[in-house]
Amino acid sequence: MSLFQLETYIKYSKFVALAAILISIIAWTVELTGIVYVCPYCRAQRTVIGILGLLLILPSASHWISKYIALVIGFFGAVVAANQHFMGWKSISAGKFNFHEHIAMDPFLLSGFAMTGIIGLIFLNLKKTKAQ
């Protein structure tokens, strides 16, 4: 198993899907318990990550309708993440950027990770075939 081979992620897509669902649940739990602030961008991203994980784990994941739904929902999530991430780049350009005091809660970093994860989940959804 090579971490840098696409086939590895395709082969273990069920585990990737479970990880996405778990990340979504943990992120929602952290917000609902009041540990982090309410952020509409974050809410959209964590929901999309969870939905893409669910679509990837369903038996119907190889059907074209499931792939289309993943594209539509994933595109929305990626746009939201890109907009939030761009606001960070805008602050950098203006010379006003500061990381959050708790680096693990920094919206610039989290939106970048969310954008990367969402696009990866879309890709895995598109690569899903019946044999997997």
Side-chain angles (χ1 to χ4, degrees):
M1 175 174 92
S2 176
L3 214 56
F4 298 109
Q5 297 295 318
L6 176 59
E7 292 77 23
T8 301
Y9 294 97
I10 293 170
K11 182 178 178 182
Y12 296 105
S13 62
K14 298 270 190 219
F15 293 110
V16 174
L18 288 172
I21 294 166
L22 187 63
I23 287 168
S24 179
I25 290 170
I26 290 170
W28 270 109
T29 303
V30 167
E31 181 189 316
L32 294 175
T33 56
I35 296 172
V36 297
Y37 57 92
V38 174
C39 169
Y41 291 98
C42 304
R43 285 180 167 187
Q45 293 163 47
R46 71 176 69 111
T47 301
V48 167
I49 289 169
I51 292 170
L52 289 173
L54 284 172
L55 286 171
L56 187 58
I57 208 165
L58 289 175
S60 62
S62 61
H63 195 276
W64 73 268
I65 293 175
S66 181
K67 292 175 187 294
Y68 182 75
I69 292 169
L71 273 171
V72 172
I73 292 171
F75 184 77
F76 168 73
V79 168
V80 170
N83 283 330
Q84 185 180 20
H85 196 68
F86 183 75
M87 287 189 294
W89 286 108
K90 188 175 161 186
S91 324
I92 290 170
S93 294
K96 300 177 184 176
F97 180 80
N98 289 316
F99 282 112
H100 192 278
E101 63 185 50
H102 299 291
I103 198 78
M105 293 180 1
D106 186 72
F108 180 69
L109 296 175
L110 291 174
S111 62
F113 289 136
M115 186 170 45
T116 303
I118 289 168
I119 292 169
L121 286 166
I122 294 169
F123 188 71
L124 283 177
N125 267 288
L126 293 177
K127 297 297 267 179
K128 192 73 175 171
T129 62
K130 286 187 182 205
Q132 296 167 350

